Amino acid sequence: MSDYVTVAHDGGIAIITLDNPPVNALSHHLRQPLFAAIEAARDDDAVQGLVIACAGRTFVSGADISEFGTDRAMASPSLPQLCALLETLRKPTVAAIHGTALGGGLELALSCHYRVADKGARVGLPEVKLGILPGAGGTVRLPRVAGPEKAVKMIVSGSPVGAAEALSSGIVDEIAESELTAAAVAFARRKVAEGGPHLPVRERNGKLEAARADPAAFEAAVKQATAKTRGLEAPLACAQAVRNAVELSFDDALARERELFVQLVSGVQSRAQRHLFFAEREAAKVAGVGKDVAARPVKKVGIIGAGTMGGGIAMAFANGGFPVTVLEANEEALDRGFATIEKNYAISVERGSLSPEDKAARLSRFSRTTDYADLADADLIIEAVFEEMSVKKDVFGKLDKVAKAGAILATNTSYLDVNEIASFTSRPQDVVGLHFFSPANVMKLLEIVRGDKTAPDVLATVLGVARKIAKVPVVVGVCHGFVGNRMLGARGDDLEPLLLEGASPEQIDKVFTGFGFPMGPFAMWDLAGLDIGWRTRKALGKTAVIADALCEEGRFGQKTGKGMYLYESGSRTPRPDPQVARLIEDKARELGIERRAISDQEIVERTLYPMVNEGARILEEGIAARPSDIDIVWVNGYGFPVGKGGPMFWADIEGLKTIVERLDHWRAKTGKAVFEPAASLRRLAETGGSFSARPA
Ligand code: NAD
């Protein structure tokens, strides 16, 4: 008995209850008394069967990740030792699962003979999301109950399954019709009555033999599961571990699983992924917004503008269950916007990711209007109209007149000054930036832009709402482009000179995709439309040598079939265009630039190093609260590779000293301000510091 583990007896059944709030993680202080309780039940002749249940809102939701990388992680009894002990019991053992049995939680449950689940329970092995694999027998036991094909799918994706699917695939044995613990006790009693032997999962080979007989089917499942791993090692290791379970003996496969686990857990990718896991939680901590700040209720949402962003934002809210009223300038614009929304849902239904009923339910949450009076009862109104201050002024002036007291007024502006926008109202404390990313119904990032006067409870509210619509929120300060676009600007500042000096668009893009970005900067220009930047440059009196010349020829990117690349009709695949190569050479000649071979390393130094440098400036100015917030922005909004942990985490790995040396080099060579190392970056480099070591 301990604070974390209690044992009760019901007839001949011992009920071991784990209580380690909030999620019953398998910390060492829980494992110790649990091990002792299992041994005691094993040795007590009065105990005929055993139930392992959990107090609180869930079964064991995983290992204690704060133990990773510390001695406590494998301190005896380790989770593998606990699992091994459970499997030696001759008396029937039953896991009673409610809430979620994830990671180590499911591995513990799989070491019992049987599993009884609540009907709302979910089970899974999400370790891959932290860059590791289940390291306590999950890859060896799950295939034995669910079959290797199902197991490889679950372990490589890390996605949990619901109770019904767990039952049909053999992961659980029964869904409780009555109170869970009572049902599990009754189940154990039945098994006692039926008599043994009770076969531990390790000895169940039926489903493996089917896969051994038809390896092609299993390999097809592996291929499908690992189709999109984007340079991550963990998904491949997960698949290999399940393959080992099929091909090797239980003990050999288990030993291999441990080796793979140890390899992954000490690797950079897993460190990066765990960094991101904690970074996301850390980002929820916002200065001046403590637990005592109550959120305002948000029941109804208004969206102004049904263009690219307004439509996507409206979908994100409807998908999250919110009623949404969409306001546009006129009926035609509304028709256009809703046609796109309908089409997007129809595509999801076609692909099988949305049921026709869900589509209908989501569409039923929308209302449309051209009358501001219809927004009078909205609790949160988000503006996504043209990116022009005069238009924003008009919209916020009108909103100020109709919105109810306490309504939150948000702008989706990408670059404009949120403080100025707030000044167009009589209630700047209620105004905030909500910067979504395109496509807004898909992209996870939400930059929450805190204005000088934004009230703490407004921030608390939008942080909560963001999570309800499955976004990853990061609070940032006001500046041109906020965190993400400002760093994107720094990353792109030297792209044209690189082209003129000798690199090709495809070489540069390849460096980025090789780094792990889903696409390079030029493919991205073509996707977004070159005309957007052209228009902005013209408004600001700026020019770009190559991009302007392309636009003058009507080459706007994918939408015109050509831009930096060529696109065959209907295709989104960029093909190098000799005309663009010639254009670049001509422009270089005109400017007297002698072209030379540019190395891939030089491309990294002239794009990604300035981006890190801008991140350091953003931190100096307090626009981002901590380096990890910047990492969250870049991983969730700009495709920065997860396995590299975000730009600031990556910078530490790359070495701040190297980065500063090379920035100095390029500053001297080009004279460009973007290469001038930020004072804080130079200081960190000189003192051997790092971003991750900075106090949060
Ligand atoms: P868009 O041109 O696709 O849509 C703008 C919509 O606003 C149009 O449908 C237009 O009819 C409507 N509109 C214009 N003035 C209006 C008014 N006075 N009242 C009501 N409706 C009006 O533009 P977009 O790409 O959706 O961008 C909208 C905003 O979102 C901009 O501030 C932009 O900077 C920002 N943003 C865009 C992206 C992106 O990738 N496109 C990403 C993040 C933020």
Side-chain angles (χ1 to χ4, degrees):
M1 294 286 214
S2 82
D3 286 349
Y4 302 105
V5 174
T6 52
V7 183
H9 294 271
D10 182 344
I13 308 298
I15 306 163
I16 300 182
T17 303
L18 319 186
D19 190 5
N20 185 26
V23 295
N24 291 311
L26 287 164
S27 322
H28 185 244
H29 62 240
L30 175 79
R31 297 197 304 267
Q32 238 170 356
L34 175 57
F35 195 89
I38 296 169
E39 277 184 323
R42 178 193 63 193
D43 299 340
D44 183 347
D45 288 342
V47 173
Q48 298 171 308
L50 186 63
V51 167
I52 297 182
C54 283
R57 59 180 155 98
T58 179
F59 191 75
V60 175
S61 281
D64 182 345
I65 13 178
S66 68
E67 288 185 353
F68 279 22
T70 73
D71 292 344
R72 275 174 302 139
M74 286 308 281
S76 183
S78 64
L79 180 56
Q81 285 170 332
L82 259 177
C83 293
L85 170 70
L86 263 174
E87 279 199 323
T88 61
L89 265 64
R90 302 260 168 99
K91 319 170 180 187
T93 51
V94 182
I97 302 171
H98 75 294
T100 52
L102 297 178
L106 181 57
E107 291 180 298
L108 182 75
L110 286 169
S111 306
C112 294
H113 295 109
Y114 309 106
R115 285 144 296 280
V116 174
D118 194 82
K119 65 176 182 305
R122 294 169 69 72
V123 304
L125 294 171
E127 284 83 348
V128 72
K129 294 182 179 167
L130 295 178
I132 51 174
L133 47 56
T139 67
V140 193
R141 291 193 182 91
L142 189 64
R144 285 177 157 75
V145 293
E149 289 168 34
K150 178 80 184 170
V152 86
K153 188 173 166 197
M154 282 179 68
I155 297 172
V156 171
S157 71
S159 304
V161 299
E165 198 176 333
L167 179 71
S168 65
S169 54
I171 303 168
V172 306
D173 301 277
E174 184 178 280
I175 293 183
E177 294 295 334
S178 52
E179 195 275 318
L180 176 66
T181 311
V185 169
F187 186 95
R189 201 163 276 137
R190 265 201 324 279
K191 290 294 164 189
V192 170
E194 282 170 18
H198 304 283
L199 211 56
V201 171
R202 61 175 286 143
E203 287 173 29
R204 298 186 205 167
N205 289 317
K207 290 190 174 177
L208 297 187
E209 271 148 24
R212 283 175 191 144
D214 184 6
F218 172 66
E219 287 306 328
V222 169
K223 196 164 168 209
Q224 198 183 15
T226 55
K228 283 189 199 147
T229 55
R230 277 226 199 103
L232 292 177
E233 296 152 9
L236 299 176
C238 286
Q240 183 55 42
V242 178
R243 187 180 288 118
N244 293 341
V246 174
E247 293 174 355
L248 309 179
S249 70
F250 179 90
D251 287 324
D252 287 348
L254 195 65
R256 284 292 297 134
E257 179 195 81
R258 175 102 321 244
E259 283 168 29
L260 287 168
F261 179 87
V262 169
Q263 243 170 43
L264 288 176
V265 83
S266 55
V268 168
Q269 288 191 351
S270 168
R271 270 171 51 212
Q273 284 177 270
R274 280 178 279 143
H275 159 75
L276 290 169
F277 177 87
F278 287 112
E280 211 174 300
R281 293 181 173 190
E282 208 50 37
K285 297 179 193 157
V286 179
V289 189
K291 287 212 168 77
D292 54 319
V293 179
R296 302 180 188 180
V298 174
K299 299 213 165 62
K300 290 190 168 176
V301 177
I303 309 284
I304 305 181
T308 310
M309 293 308 291
I313 297 168
M315 286 176 74
F317 278 95
N319 298 352
F322 288 90
V324 183
T325 302
V326 181
L327 181 143
E328 255 290 354
N330 52 53
E331 291 296 332
E332 296 77 63
L334 274 175
D335 287 344
R336 252 194 329 271
F338 274 91
T340 306
I341 290 172
E342 290 230 29
K343 193 182 80 193
N344 286 338
Y345 281 132
I347 291 172
S348 301
V349 171
E350 241 168 69
R351 284 194 190 139
S353 57
L354 185 72
S355 72
E357 297 75 37
D358 284 343
K359 174 187 167 196
R362 289 176 188 193
L363 282 173
S364 75
R365 296 186 190 122
F366 288 95
S367 327
R368 42 184 285 166
T369 186
T370 55
D371 184 357
Y372 275 80
D374 289 334
L375 299 178
D377 63 347
D379 305 295
L380 166 65
I381 304 172
I382 303 169
E383 158 283 309
V385 301
F386 300 139
E387 183 77 340
E388 277 170 39
M389 202 48 115
S390 58
V391 188
K392 308 282 188 198
K393 182 173 183 179
D394 176 54
V395 167
F396 276 80
K398 285 179 177 149
L399 279 181
D400 196 29
K401 293 205 178 74
V402 301
K404 68 179 182 187
I408 295 173
L409 310 181
T411 171
N412 182 48
T413 181
S414 308
Y415 291 98
L416 300 176
D417 182 343
V418 174
N419 291 324
E420 189 177 344
I421 293 176
S423 76
F424 302 142
T425 72
S426 60
R427 35 177 141 176
Q429 74 281 1
D430 295 338
V431 176
V432 66
L434 288 183
H435 187 214
F436 288 83
F437 289 75
S438 181
N441 53 318
V442 178
M443 294 298 287
K444 289 218 145 317
L445 178 63
L446 178 62
E447 275 185 332
I448 296 177
V449 189
R450 178 181 206 160
D452 290 346
K453 296 189 177 151
T454 307
D457 67 340
V458 166
L459 292 171
T461 309
V462 293
L463 279 162
V465 166
R467 269 176 234 113
K468 284 194 187 139
I469 59 169
K471 298 296 174 201
V472 179
V474 180
V475 175
V476 301
V478 176
C479 68
H480 186 74
F482 316 121
V483 169
N485 281 344
R486 179 167 157 186
M487 287 172 69
L488 186 68
R491 190 187 86 169
D493 197 78
D494 213 32
L495 283 171
E496 283 217 337
L498 276 167
L499 289 179
L500 293 166
E501 289 169 37
S504 67
E506 43 287 11
Q507 183 197 359
I508 293 176
D509 277 358
K510 208 157 155 255
V511 168
F512 277 78
T513 51
F515 185 84
F517 281 99
M519 60 171 75
F522 297 118
M524 201 168 107
W525 287 9
D526 276 359
L527 177 67
L530 292 169
D531 51 321
I532 295 181
W534 192 35
R535 229 179 300 130
T536 315
R537 282 194 296 280
K538 278 202 258 188
L540 298 173
K542 292 186 172 171
T543 56
V545 180
I546 311 287
D548 285 359
L550 291 173
C551 287
E552 275 151 24
E553 290 174 23
R555 301 181 65 123
F556 293 162
Q558 285 193 18
K559 61 180 133 182
T560 56
K562 45 188 175 175
M564 290 300 297
Y565 295 100
L566 273 180
Y567 299 86
E568 274 161 25
S569 119
S571 163
R572 288 169 169 268
T573 311
R575 285 195 300 115
D577 185 348
Q579 267 187 31
V580 173
R582 254 195 316 277
L583 171 81
I584 294 170
E585 281 165 24
D586 290 348
K587 290 288 176 192
R589 204 171 310 115
E590 277 171 32
L591 293 165
I593 298 170
E594 200 167 323
R595 286 167 61 79
R596 59 186 169 87
I598 305 264
S599 73
D600 289 356
Q601 176 60 25
E602 179 174 340
I603 292 169
V604 168
E605 291 177 7
R606 290 171 68 176
T607 55
L608 298 183
Y609 288 6
M611 173 180 160
V612 167
N613 194 31
E614 198 64 33
R617 290 200 183 114
I618 281 172
L619 289 167
E620 284 172 15
E621 293 167 26
I623 299 296
R626 43 184 94 82
S628 63
D629 281 5
I630 296 180
D631 291 336
I632 290 294
V633 165
W634 269 81
V635 166
N636 292 288
Y638 296 83
F640 197 97
V642 167
K644 290 194 164 68
M648 308 318 273
F649 183 88
W650 171 74
D652 283 346
I653 304 283
E654 188 81 350
L656 301 188
K657 194 161 162 278
T658 309
I659 292 179
V660 168
E661 274 168 18
R662 297 311 290 165
L663 284 170
D664 278 335
H665 170 85
W666 293 113
R667 169 76 169 142
K669 196 143 185 158
T670 66
K672 288 180 74 168
V674 76
F675 294 118
E676 177 62 37
S680 61
L681 181 61
R682 194 183 289 285
R683 205 167 43 245
L684 279 177
E686 281 170 2
T687 55
S690 69
F691 289 111
S692 51
R694 277 166 58 120

